[in-house]
Amino acid sequence: MIDHWWQTETGWAIAANCFGIERLPVVPGSPTRAVPGWDLRVLGSDGAELPAGETGALVAKLPMPPGASPTLWNADERFHDTYLAPFPGYYLTADAGYIDEQGYVFVMARTDDIINVAGHRLSTGAIEEVLAAHADVAECAVIGVADELKGQSPLGLLVLKAGVERPNEDIVREAVQMVRDRIGPVASFKTAVVVERLPKTRSGKILRGTMRRIADDQEYSVPATIDDPAILDEITEALHGVGYGRALARPAG
């Protein structure tokens, strides 16, 4: 399978296996290298460039190549504040990932999905990849919930495959152990809950931010694009069952 990575704002692929130039060896999980015109870098929260293999904010060094969006319609200031101001001299993709020693790009998650667990920056996407490998899991989501001691802790939500009749507790225990084995104790992954379905937009985007606010007892807005608002009640009940979102979480207004 030939993968590629692009955004609406960029107008064309940022990283791709360009057959017309040179067909590169496929590495699972990577759209291979940046295409001509894109100077990709990985930056830490302090704006310093990170070494190969370390996860951070994926950015493009300016100037942008031809075809990329120069602004937002009637919103020049918002374009600057959103895409250019966070790291002066760079376009912020809002995706997080890393670039390996061979220049292969790995897009791991949105920057909002990078959580800080006791000083360690972890990709919820990497944890989701492990959970999705469980034989009984159809799909999953991982969110970072507030933790008084560690800052944040990862919490998994698992949707099981049709026909699975094993006890939820066994599946959760196995899933937690898989993360511990493959990512390590640093992930501090201890809690997961089985749910019937995940809240999504009509285009299929999982509403991780909304679930995080529910878990952290914060008010939240029901997105206008949500496929079925009733799912949020199901998620709230499931999170209550594992000790989250007990008191205040409710739709704003």
Side-chain angles (χ1 to χ4, degrees), residues 147-219:
D147 185 297
E148 291 185 3
L149 181 63
K150 298 181 179 180
Q152 287 182 298
S153 292
L155 169 66
L157 297 100
L158 312 176
V159 178
L160 304 184
K161 295 178 180 178
V164 173
E165 297 181 355
R166 299 178 60 214
N168 290 350
E169 313 86 74
D170 292 348
I171 297 172
V172 167
R173 184 173 60 254
E174 293 167 1
V176 169
Q177 189 61 47
M178 287 175 65
V179 174
R180 186 175 181 86
D181 292 342
R182 300 188 189 185
I183 297 181
V186 68
S188 191
F189 185 77
K190 301 177 181 178
T191 307
V193 59
V194 173
V195 297
E196 290 294 324
R197 49 188 180 160
L198 296 172
K200 299 178 181 179
T201 64
R202 287 186 288 274
S203 62
K205 180 181 179 181
I206 297 174
L207 299 172
R208 293 175 177 82
T210 302
M211 291 192 291
R212 182 173 60 248
R213 284 186 283 275
I214 292 174
D216 287 345
D217 282 336
Q218 298 175 351
E219 289 192 349

Side-chain angles (χ1 to χ4, degrees), residues 2-5 13-19 22 24 31-35:
I2 303 304
D3 196 5
H4 66 289
W5 170 50
I14 305 173
N17 203 343
C18 299
F19 280 21
E22 174 189 11
L24 299 171
T32 67
R33 299 173 183 160
V35 301

Side-chain angles (χ1 to χ4, degrees), residues 25-88:
V26 172
V27 174
S30 172
T32 67
R33 299 173 183 160
V35 301
W38 290 97
D39 184 357
L40 286 183
R41 310 290 178 89
V42 180
L43 304 183
S45 57
D46 59 355
E49 191 167 346
L50 297 178
E54 287 198 20
T55 297
L58 285 166
V59 300
K61 187 172 176 57
L62 299 179
M64 299 279 278
S69 175
T71 187
L72 296 174
W73 176 253
N74 288 333
D76 288 343
E77 186 175 348
R78 183 158 64 91
F79 179 84
H80 178 271
D81 292 346
T82 301
Y83 299 101
L84 305 180
F87 297 108

